[in-house]
Amino acid sequence: MAEFTRDAPALDDILSVSKVRQDFPILQRKIGKSPLVYLDNGASTQKPRAVLDAVQRFYSEDYANIHRGVHTLSQRATQRYDAARETVAGYIHAPATEEVIFVRGATEAINLVASTYGREAVGSGDNILLTAMEHHANIVPWQLLAQEKGAEIRVLPVDDRGVLELDALDSLLDERTRVFAFTHVSNALGTVNPVEKLIAAAHRRGVPVLVDAAQSVQHLGIDVTALDCDFLVFSGHKCYGPTGIGVLYGKRERLSEMPPYQGGGDMIEHVRWEGTTFKDIPERFEAGTPNIAGAIGLAAAMRYLEELGRERIARYEANLVDYANETLSGVEGFRMVGTAPDKASIISFLLKEIHPHDVATFLDAEGIAVRTGHHCAEPLMRRLGITGTTRASLSFYNTREEIDLLAAALGKIVRFFG
Ligand code: PLP
């Protein structure tokens, strides 16, 4: 994590945040009498005008169903959908466009892999390795599979700071491990996992990996070619795109060997009563009419992020997180949960003995949006001996002034509860 000092370059030198905020219409609104301070970006991000306009333009100018029509609009819609896939492939550095499958989100992508690759590869007595900091979306699909197949779920532990205990990796990965699925960045704590090391350890034993990039693609940038991951998943709505669209990246050789996930239109080659043949990837995994506008919106989000500059976004956010850490640690009774040395834009905390829901309700009265609870990571909360936290998750459109407002509001809450 970058060292923060109060003499550090003004954030505006990295990114012109006041200008950036103009791109997000919702950031201009008020909650009651207070300006909105949106610190719930880990749950979902707000949408820039570029995304809103792209979706609106598609529906008002080019809308039709794709792939099945010879008429102009259908062809234009198809071109735009295909172009969206190319943009996404470029953004994550996928070697081939068809390795990008559009799905509803990270959850559906993981379910797809568990139900197809998993059903084929995992048998009785095999094991599936996860980590102790997974989101439920990267636990439950594997549990369902393990129950069906009589396989074992293994868990790479975390220490009290929320850092993976890598020493345990060697004994957990073995010749019966069929997949290692882990999150790049913890949604509950912000820990950035050493993804390259985890992938290398798995590959040394011939174990395929699935990287859950739901909390990293919007902060750190992703290069699937450099990572050499077998699968990678993320959701559009967490990276400034629309809801209901997400991505499964998979290596061609993996995806082409996997049986279909859902059956129906667009994934078939020929249907006969005797049996059906299927298209190649990506269509094989996109049964039915896809979220065409969602894909177009997601591509617009990725172009927007590219224009801002990934490196600048990462630097700005790292600087803002350091400022937040320093400022919030000055609040009486503030206790950070998750103190890994390498953290992304998530600040999970407890405030004295005050219930996180009370904290969030008070903050909402000041126009400050945060999230509370177990953050869909109940096993992690149990490991840390707590039931939940308050979580402020930051974006490049947040400012130091907003962090100051959060700190001031937390101070008020502490005084109120005595
Ligand atoms: N994985 C992680 C790390 C997440 O933070 C989330 C959502 O919070 C998910 C998976 C599931 O994402 P979605 O609900 O968009 O499918």
Side-chain angles (χ1 to χ4, degrees):
M1 199 192 297
E3 239 349 59
F4 174 74
T5 73
R6 297 228 170 232
D7 302 327
L11 279 180
D12 257 9
D13 290 350
I14 305 174
L15 196 76
S16 176
V17 69
S18 45
K19 209 158 143 259
V20 163
R21 287 178 69 84
Q22 299 294 322
D23 295 339
F24 292 81
I26 205 169
L27 297 182
Q28 323 306 325
R29 71 157 286 168
K30 291 191 164 180
I31 302 294
K33 289 195 175 125
S34 311
L36 167 67
V37 176
Y38 187 77
L39 302 176
D40 194 19
N41 297 288
S44 204
T45 50
Q46 300 299 349
K47 317 304 170 199
R49 210 178 290 280
V51 170
L52 304 176
D53 288 350
V55 172
Q56 157 97 12
R57 216 176 313 118
F58 172 59
Y59 277 127
S60 19
E61 293 173 14
D62 283 335
Y63 181 74
N65 207 338
I66 56 168
H67 290 157
R68 290 168 215 146
V70 289
H71 63 80
T72 304
L73 284 186
S74 179
Q75 287 185 15
R76 284 182 69 89
T78 303
Q79 275 162 10
R80 298 193 61 182
Y81 185 70
D82 292 346
R85 198 189 306 279
E86 259 173 56
T87 302
V88 173
Y91 191 80
I92 61 172
H93 300 273
T97 306
E98 64 272 18
E99 293 175 316
V100 168
I101 313 290
F102 283 126
V103 290
R104 273 194 302 134
T107 303
E108 185 173 59
I110 298 168
N111 276 279
L112 190 162
V113 177
S115 303
T116 55
Y117 166 77
R119 278 235 175 84
E120 297 260 294
V122 176
S124 172
D126 289 337
N127 68 75
I128 294 159
L129 181 59
L130 308 176
T131 84
M133 65 172 79
E134 295 312 312
H135 187 282
H136 296 163
N138 199 26
I139 298 175
V140 184
W142 303 113
Q143 277 181 332
L144 292 170
L145 176 68
Q147 273 159 20
E148 182 186 314
K149 297 289 186 172
E152 179 196 355
I153 298 285
R154 292 184 175 176
V155 182
L156 182 64
V158 292
D159 66 18
D160 293 340
R161 299 169 302 161
V163 175
L164 289 177
E165 295 185 12
L166 297 185
D167 292 349
L169 201 49
D170 274 341
S171 58
L172 288 167
L173 283 166
D174 63 22
E175 69 286 350
R176 300 300 300 270
T177 310
R178 294 293 169 253
V179 64
F180 180 21
F182 58 87
T183 193
H184 189 176
V185 171
S186 156
N187 69 306
L189 306 180
T191 309
V192 180
N193 287 323
V195 67
E196 293 88 355
K197 266 193 201 161
L198 298 175
I199 294 170
H203 282 178
R204 271 199 299 279
R205 288 163 188 79
V207 175
V209 294
L210 179 144
V211 179
D212 178 352
Q215 295 291 343
S216 60
V217 70
Q218 64 281 54
H219 299 301
L220 306 176
I222 293 289
D223 183 335
V224 291
T225 304
L227 285 177
D228 190 34
C229 49
D230 300 85
F231 302 105
L232 181 134
V233 307
F234 64 92
S235 296
H237 70 96
K238 290 183 198 285
C239 54
Y240 308 95
T243 48
I245 187 77
V247 169
L248 164 64
Y249 159 80
K251 281 185 181 169
R252 167 169 259 294
E253 60 269 31
R254 295 260 173 230
L255 292 173
S256 343
E257 280 170 11
M258 284 157 42
Y261 177 48
Q262 295 178 332
D266 257 14
M267 51 80 75
I268 61 98
E269 193 179 46
H270 295 293
V271 179
R272 304 281 181 270
W273 291 120
E274 300 74 39
T276 294
T277 51
F278 307 112
K279 284 209 186 108
D280 197 358
I281 59 169
E283 284 87 2
R284 179 193 303 204
F285 295 108
E286 294 182 4
T289 300
N291 185 351
I292 313 164
I296 288 166
L298 176 58
M302 301 203 137
R303 282 194 299 274
Y304 177 81
L305 295 175
E306 291 279 20
E307 270 165 34
L308 279 189
R310 291 201 231 187
E311 198 269 335
R312 266 198 299 166
I313 290 172
R315 259 197 315 140
Y316 180 94
E317 290 183 348
N319 196 301
L320 190 64
V321 170
D322 288 346
Y323 181 82
N325 285 338
E326 191 169 308
T327 306
L328 297 173
S329 58
V331 174
E332 187 198 342
F334 178 90
R335 176 158 82 83
M336 182 81 76
V337 179
T339 51
D342 196 4
K343 276 179 65 169
S345 303
I346 285 169
I347 295 167
S348 231
F349 63 92
L350 295 170
L351 195 62
K352 288 196 148 175
E353 303 300 315
I354 308 166
H355 196 286
H357 287 306
D358 291 336
V359 173
T361 307
F362 266 74
L363 291 177
D364 183 54
E366 307 262 324
I368 303 173
V370 295
R371 187 147 296 245
T372 61
H374 52 58
H375 312 298
C376 292
E378 275 196 271
L380 176 62
M381 295 294 130
R382 285 172 72 90
R383 158 66 186 83
L384 298 174
I386 54 180
T387 52
T389 70
T390 304
R391 181 185 78 180
S393 45
L394 313 182
S395 157
F396 55 78
Y397 49 55
N398 292 126
T399 63
R400 286 184 185 166
E401 290 71 30
E402 289 181 315
I403 302 299
D404 293 342
L405 287 172
L406 173 65
L410 293 177
K412 263 200 223 169
I413 296 170
V414 170
R415 285 193 294 283
F416 179 85
F417 281 92

